[in-house]
Amino acid sequence: AALGAARSYVSYCARASRVPTSLEAVRNKAVELGIASSSNTAGLIPEFSALDLPFLVPGGWDGLPKVMDSQPMADLGKAAEARGFK
């Protein structure tokens, strides 16, 4: 029954185009996983707005692991955890 309620909740959020609400469902553990753009995530975690800036990764795809393992990305993770996301 709980799974059906969670699906209904997420379905409602999708129809209402309220992505931050579906992210809140993830934070509140009503659903296990959600997908949202960085601009919608920034509504709950303002630091994520930095990801909306256009940028190039030095080294192209080969440089991406270095960026993902960088201190700024770790700081984004800490900001998300401080607001109840893991």
Side-chain angles (χ1 to χ4, degrees):
L3 183 57
R7 285 184 181 153
S8 296
Y9 180 73
V10 171
S11 176
Y12 163 77
C13 294
R15 285 192 314 269
S17 296
R18 296 185 61 203
V19 175
T21 303
S22 64
L23 286 174
E24 289 174 346
V26 172
R27 180 173 54 188
N28 296 332
K29 298 183 177 35
V31 296
E32 292 182 11
L33 177 69
I35 299 173
S37 68
S38 57
S39 58
N40 288 323
T41 304
L44 295 173
I45 308 167
E47 292 86 349
F48 272 65
S49 62
L51 297 176
D52 287 336
L53 299 173
F55 61 90
L56 297 175
V57 175
W61 287 107
D62 294 334
L64 191 57
K66 184 176 180 181
V67 171
M68 296 305 294
D69 294 334
S70 69
Q71 187 59 47
M73 293 304 284
D75 293 344
L76 284 177
K78 290 176 186 174
E81 283 192 40
R83 289 172 179 82
F85 293 93
K86 277 195 165 189

